[in-house]
Amino acid sequence: MAGSPSRAAGRRLQLPLLCLFLQGATAVLFAVFVRYNHKTDAALWHRGNHSNADNEFYFRYPSFQDVHAMVFVGFGFLMVFLQRYGFSSVGFTFLLAAFALQWSTLVQGFLHSFHSGHIHVGVESMINADFCVGAVLISSGALLGKTGPAQLLLMALLEVVLFGINEFVLLHLLGVRVWGGMEWGVGGGQGQPLSQEHGGGGGVLPLHLTAPPQVRDAGGSMTIHTFGAYFGLVLSRVLYRPQLEKSKHRQGSVYHSDLFAMIGTIFLWIFWPSFNSALTALGTGQHQTALNTYYSLAASTLSTFALSALVGEDGRLDMVHIQNAALAGGVVVGTSSEMMLTPFGALAAGFLAGTVSTLGYKFFTPILESKFKVQDTSGVHNLHGMPGVLGALLGVLVAGLATHEAYGDGLERVFPLIAEGQRSATSQAMYQLFGLFVTLMFASVGGGLGAGLLLKLPFLDSPLDSQCYEDQVHWQVPGEHEDEAQRPLRVEEADTQA
């Protein structure tokens, strides 16, 4: 057992009570508010004489599977690089994702699909929930090894709400106008027109009127990566530990932990085209988004290997760079991948992102801690923060170049307001830029004032400075008699270090 008996007693009650309370509360809210949408409810679907083959489930579910695997396997294993924190990396990812997907279904439902007193869910809401979970897990990467599970659950509780509000502001409140009198629904930024919607026992109900997305961000460079990264980084600054040197010997990796982390990298790399294209318009929209992401990831991988060898000791590769910076290509095209980025543009963006991310791990991460007191365990600033901002700026550039000649009839799909003459390409670019500033504001204020103050509550179980990055604080670890690296911390040892 690690820590004093009083801390162990608090830990025994804190996590179970919090898990039971959160699950009970969400279950009650689901019972009261959540219903199937018209594509999921058998009675409503067949009432409209639809064929089962036309149900959107068959078009969206393959992408959902890929995104789901990224969340639970990709993110979970990417964070097992710490030599004595593998159980916590995978286990707490599992816990956070299981709670956040339920909570985000409610929050996003109230904001996006609340009609006639109910939230209506289907396959798109599952994908949107997983997107929100991705932002939460990105934030947790900055705090990896320095917080307890109860703190992480409370962080998720607040972050999911702020994520939903930020997304709602970007997609629907920045200069809202009704496009062409058409009724639009919400689909994670895709903004496709809806036909018949859900209904209760009395039949089909009229749609509520919303506008098409004001800011385009299909793959979440802003709403997922930038928001999640800077929320976590600001929170890490608020929770700064000046005595973290006491656990510095556990912060590194070993051969097998880096190898397992590479499994997470490969999963994320393979499925990232599905992540960016999951909720884009069916047909050319998804096709184009997947291609752009595919090429960008390939280019970022080559630039990562090149820069890692260039700046590495004796010209040798650093596995930290390969595990992370090779993925930056997926982040950087998140906003612009559904636009006319072109294959060459995707390659150039990916190469730049891999370069910036690798150099960030080598040179900027130490500065973050020494100068700005931000202890970024997983380097989320290099993988998600900087590439996310670059992706948002790339979206500004590509949106500003949008013309009828370049897009043809596809302009109506990507930029409906430009197609209708309600907004110029330059104006759309300014909206994209403003969306980045709004995201940074929500992330910084939310992470600093909201989550920071919440997670600093004294009764929350947090590992001591001498016990960070250690599984045995929260887990029963087998093999405790094998060697010094696997033996649990003794009570007297932990108290002495504290």
Side-chain angles (χ1 to χ4, degrees), residues 70 218-219 225 268-278 280 285-301 326-339 341-343 345-347 349-350:
M70 288 179 69
H225 301 286
L268 291 169
W269 201 96
I270 291 172
F271 292 132
W272 213 299
S274 293
F275 186 92
N276 283 352
S277 65
T280 51
Q286 281 195 328
H287 198 169
Q288 183 173 294
T289 303
L291 277 174
N292 286 334
T293 308
Y294 177 78
Y295 293 128
S296 183
L297 283 165
S300 68
T301 301
L327 300 170
V331 178
V332 76
V333 295
T335 297
S336 59
S337 56
E338 66 171 341
M339 306 175 189
L341 180 60
T342 74
L347 288 173

Side-chain angles (χ1 to χ4, degrees), residues 124-147:
E124 284 191 6
S125 60
M126 294 163 64
I127 298 173
N128 276 320
D130 274 7
F131 281 173
C132 182
V133 170
V136 172
L137 296 181
I138 289 167
S139 300
S140 71
L143 309 175
L144 189 67
K146 301 171 294 185
T147 50

Side-chain angles (χ1 to χ4, degrees), residues 60-400:
R60 299 290 186 193
Y61 192 74
S63 294
F64 165 74
Q65 287 180 304
D66 294 349
V67 173
H68 217 47
M70 288 179 69
V71 167
F72 285 90
V73 181
F75 278 106
F77 277 91
L78 183 64
M79 291 192 264
V80 301
F81 64 93
L82 292 172
Q83 57 184 298
R84 293 171 63 166
Y85 209 66
F87 281 17
S88 299
S89 298
V90 176
F92 294 160
T93 295
F94 196 13
L95 173 66
L96 278 181
F99 165 65
L101 69 85
Q102 298 177 69
W103 181 228
S104 61
T105 297
L106 290 166
V107 172
Q108 292 177 320
F110 282 121
L111 291 170
H112 299 314
S113 58
F114 188 73
H115 313 287
S116 306
H118 293 114
I119 295 168
H120 296 262
V121 298
V123 66
E124 284 191 6
S125 60
M126 294 163 64
I127 298 173
N128 276 320
D130 274 7
F131 281 173
C132 182
V133 170
V136 172
L137 296 181
I138 289 167
S139 300
S140 71
L143 309 175
L144 189 67
K146 301 171 294 185
T147 50
Q151 288 178 299
L152 292 174
L153 284 172
L154 291 177
M155 179 198 77
L157 184 69
L158 178 62
E159 185 174 1
V160 166
V161 175
L162 292 172
F163 175 93
I165 295 173
N166 177 64
E167 182 184 53
F168 183 76
V169 169
L170 263 61
L171 300 184
H172 304 290
L173 294 186
L174 294 183
V176 169
R177 303 182 200 175
V178 177
W179 179 73
M182 183 176 288
E183 295 170 325
W184 283 71
V186 179
Q190 68 179 11
Q192 297 182 63
L194 298 177
S195 54
Q196 289 183 325
E197 186 55 83
H198 50 270
V204 177
L205 298 176
L207 285 166
H208 75 309
L209 204 60
T210 59
Q214 305 300 301
V215 174
R216 306 300 303 194
D217 192 30
S221 290
M222 286 185 282
T223 54
I224 300 173
H225 301 286
T226 300
F227 178 85
Y230 288 101
F231 185 97
L233 290 168
V234 173
L235 180 53
S236 179
R237 175 62 185 88
V238 174
L239 300 179
Y240 175 71
R241 290 172 175 263
Q243 302 298 319
L244 194 59
E245 286 290 331
K246 293 181 179 180
S247 293
K248 205 71 174 179
H249 60 287
R250 299 191 200 95
Q251 197 171 355
S253 62
V254 291
Y255 189 85
H256 68 269
S257 66
D258 267 337
L259 191 60
F260 273 107
M262 198 63 195
I263 295 175
T265 298
I266 297 299
F267 264 87
L268 291 169
W269 201 96
I270 291 172
F271 292 132
W272 213 299
S274 293
F275 186 92
N276 283 352
S277 65
L279 285 176
T280 51
L282 298 176
T284 57
Q286 281 195 328
H287 198 169
Q288 183 173 294
T289 303
L291 277 174
N292 286 334
T293 308
Y294 177 78
Y295 293 128
S296 183
L297 283 165
S300 68
T301 301
L302 265 69
S303 65
T304 297
F305 273 85
L307 267 293
S308 182
L310 187 64
V311 301
E313 182 181 350
D314 299 325
R316 292 182 294 175
L317 298 169
D318 188 333
M319 185 56 93
V320 173
H321 302 161
I322 308 306
Q323 289 165 358
N324 296 277
L327 300 170
V331 178
V332 76
V333 295
T335 297
S336 59
S337 56
E338 66 171 341
M339 306 175 189
M340 291 296 288
L341 180 60
T342 74
F344 169 76
L347 288 173
F351 193 90
L352 176 62
T355 300
V356 169
S357 182
T358 305
L359 294 177
Y361 276 101
K362 179 65 177 181
F363 301 109
F364 198 50
T365 296
I367 296 175
L368 269 182
E369 182 167 355
S370 61
K371 302 296 183 182
F372 299 99
K373 301 187 186 308
V374 176
Q375 295 161 327
D376 181 11
T377 307
S378 298
V380 299
H381 186 251
N382 308 308
L383 173 53
H384 302 280
M386 291 191 294
V389 172
L390 283 175
L393 295 177
L394 180 61
V396 172
L397 174 63
V398 180

